[in-house]
Amino acid sequence: MTFGSLGDVLPLAALGSELARRGHAVTLWCGALHRPMVERMGLEAVTLETDAMPDLSLHAKGLHKTPQMWRRVEQSTRAAYADLVSRWHDRPAHAPRPLVVASTFALAGRLAQERLGLPLVTVHLSPLCMVSFRDLPALKALPYPERVPAWAGAWLGPWVERLVFDPVVTRDLNVLRAELGLPPVRHLLSRWMHSPERVLGLFPDWFGSPQPDWPAAARVLGFPQVDGSGEAAMATVDPELEHFLADGPPPVVCYPGSARRNAQKFFDEALRTAQHCGLRVVLLTRYPDQVKGCDDLPPWALYRRYVPLSALLPRAAALVHCGGVGTLAQAVAAGCPQLVLPNHFDQFDNARRVQRLRLGHRHSGSEWGGALQALLADRGVLEACLARRSTLRSGVEVLAQAADLVLGHADRAAVAVGQA
């Protein structure tokens, strides 16, 4: 079960493909936008855009307005749980007991574990998703100091969660839980949303060091490094792109993420900076209306809806992006310096970690030309990127280990049911 954009869906789909390759039947819940891709990967795809998911403009009433993203989490939780229960009741009498693998905000999986007794593996793609009060994450809404002592975070964090986050993120969930005959929950982000049985972190321990207050069942594996490059639709040669890459110095790649629909200023700044600094740029977005004059760009700029970053970034001078962990991981794998312009959710924390590790620079504000020039001049960042690239585990190895842990948990759960 997944929730989110392309970068959230692809790793779970790739894990599902590995499980299917080993002979298991896999169903993936995802958004309608991603269904064709998931089906091309050989999986059954179930979309969640249903009548159970009202318009995003609806907000909860009360002191704390519910952000649109969390409204979508609440809506998809209801829709996915209802569909999962229907499938559970309609399954053949002697069908094997299913196991649920759920990404961070696919909360229907956690409900199914409690209400139906299904074994659950929770998968988190970034360290922020395993909230630690001993290493407080960077959040736009909470501008506390960059480095908070562990003792102060251990005292402050639970209060922030109780007073700021719980009133928003548990409200609708507890309504649903009451309907299901379950008691209310608190500490959703730091405790409840993690499976007590098995939690997988699909990022390396040097990027997110395990903390004492992380879930006891957590294992950190590495970046899965999935970007769709294995799809036949993405493997075709693009002669114009090849000619552009070969016909000059390495370009700067500008990619605001697959889900961002308001990136006009981002691309305006990219073109302005490239012209002013004499750079070449590749602009990536599935929404061509965001790139002014995308059909008639100057010779030093090229627009594409999407190019697998694993093929593009090794030939790039730098990557400018908003801090999605999948995009970030591709830059690390390519040894490519990155300028991170965080926009929401885990991007602020990811940007902080990139800068701490000297894998790039972070910047706030819509004008980032000067920050890009500083990044390109920073030889220390390039050296750190190349050194880190040489130590990175392969995505194939990470996904194989994740599949081993999922199947191991399924076996243990089956034994426990048999003994009961």
Side-chain angles (χ1 to χ4, degrees):
M1 311 191 84
T2 64
F3 173 85
S5 63
L6 178 66
D8 300 293
V9 175
L10 261 175
L12 271 290
L15 177 56
S17 293
E18 174 63 18
L19 293 168
R21 188 187 66 81
R22 300 186 187 193
H24 300 277
V26 179
T27 299
L28 187 82
W29 281 261
C30 62
L33 178 65
H34 308 299
R35 180 171 185 165
M37 175 196 71
V38 171
E39 291 178 337
R40 287 196 300 268
M41 296 174 75
L43 306 178
E44 178 191 4
V46 178
T47 60
L48 296 179
E49 278 78 0
T50 71
D51 292 339
M53 299 177 73
D55 188 273
L56 271 177
S57 63
L58 294 179
H59 285 248
K61 297 179 180 179
L63 178 63
H64 298 274
K65 289 281 190 179
T66 303
Q68 285 193 340
M69 191 200 86
W70 197 259
R71 283 296 295 151
R72 182 60 80 188
V73 171
E74 296 168 345
Q75 295 156 7
S76 65
T77 296
R78 283 182 170 271
Y81 182 76
D83 189 71
L84 191 150
V85 169
S86 176
R87 289 166 177 266
W88 171 249
H89 290 314
D90 293 344
R91 76 194 190 284
H94 300 292
R97 188 177 185 83
L99 174 139
V100 180
V101 180
S103 62
T104 300
F105 293 133
L107 302 182
R110 187 72 173 88
L111 285 173
Q113 182 188 47
E114 281 190 283
R115 191 70 174 79
L116 305 177
L118 297 182
L120 171 69
V121 175
T122 302
V123 176
H124 297 309
L125 301 179
S126 64
L128 173 67
C129 300
M130 286 196 274
V131 176
S132 171
F133 297 139
R134 294 179 177 273
D135 182 20
L136 291 178
L139 295 170
K140 181 179 181 181
L142 298 173
Y144 42 70
E146 177 82 3
R147 294 184 181 274
V148 177
W151 65 266
W155 176 85
L156 175 66
W159 282 102
V160 171
E161 182 177 33
R162 179 178 176 181
L163 298 177
V164 177
F165 290 102
D166 271 353
V168 174
V169 300
T170 65
R171 179 165 35 202
D172 189 75
L173 175 67
N174 281 334
V175 170
L176 176 57
R177 289 177 64 83
E179 294 170 7
L180 299 176
L182 295 172
V185 294
R186 292 194 303 174
H187 305 292
L188 183 147
L189 298 177
S190 67
R191 300 180 193 173
W192 180 82
M193 71 178 183
H194 313 294
S195 169
E197 302 166 349
R198 172 60 70 198
V199 178
L200 303 182
L202 293 191
F203 52 84
D205 56 8
W206 54 260
F207 186 70
S209 177
Q211 299 297 315
D213 53 348
W214 276 11
R219 288 281 301 275
V220 174
L221 307 183
F223 291 132
Q225 300 173 39
V226 186
D227 67 348
S229 56
E231 286 196 71
M234 294 295 179
T236 57
V237 176
D238 184 337
E240 186 181 3
L241 173 62
E242 285 298 317
H243 176 75
F244 180 83
L245 293 173
D247 194 34
V252 173
V253 176
C254 300
Y255 177 52
S258 65
R260 188 169 174 187
R261 297 174 180 266
N262 60 339
Q264 291 91 342
K265 291 182 179 179
F266 173 88
F267 288 114
D268 288 347
E269 178 68 6
L271 290 170
R272 185 165 48 248
T273 297
Q275 184 174 30
H276 177 73
C277 301
L279 301 172
R280 304 169 75 239
V281 290
V282 176
L283 312 175
L284 301 179
T285 175
R286 70 175 65 192
Y287 308 109
D289 59 306
Q290 296 181 349
V291 182
K292 190 179 301 181
C294 67
D295 295 325
D296 188 27
L297 291 171
W300 42 263
L302 186 71
Y303 161 73
R304 285 294 181 267
R305 290 180 63 86
Y306 183 73
V307 177
L309 295 178
S310 59
L312 180 59
L313 293 185
R315 305 169 70 177
L319 169 68
V320 182
H321 68 113
C322 294
V325 71
T327 303
L328 179 159
Q330 290 296 335
V332 175
C336 181
Q338 46 192 306
L339 177 63
V340 187
L341 314 172
N343 189 47
H344 62 81
F345 185 49
D346 64 336
Q347 295 173 354
F348 294 92
D349 193 61
N350 294 337
R352 177 191 65 158
R353 295 173 188 273
V354 164
Q355 183 151 299
R356 276 186 183 179
L357 293 162
R358 297 225 59 201
L359 299 175
H361 294 179
R362 61 177 169 175
H363 180 77
S364 60
S366 58
E367 296 182 0
W368 42 265
L372 177 59
Q373 288 180 283
L375 173 69
L376 293 172
D378 192 334
R379 297 295 302 176
V381 166
L382 180 59
E383 292 170 2
C385 288
L386 296 176
R388 183 62 66 183
R389 178 184 65 180
S390 67
T391 66
L392 203 64
R393 293 183 71 194
S394 75
V396 172
E397 183 182 357
V398 169
L399 288 169
Q401 185 181 6
D404 289 342
L405 291 167
V406 167
L407 295 176
H409 182 55
D411 290 342
R412 288 190 297 274
V415 169
V417 170
Q419 290 175 343

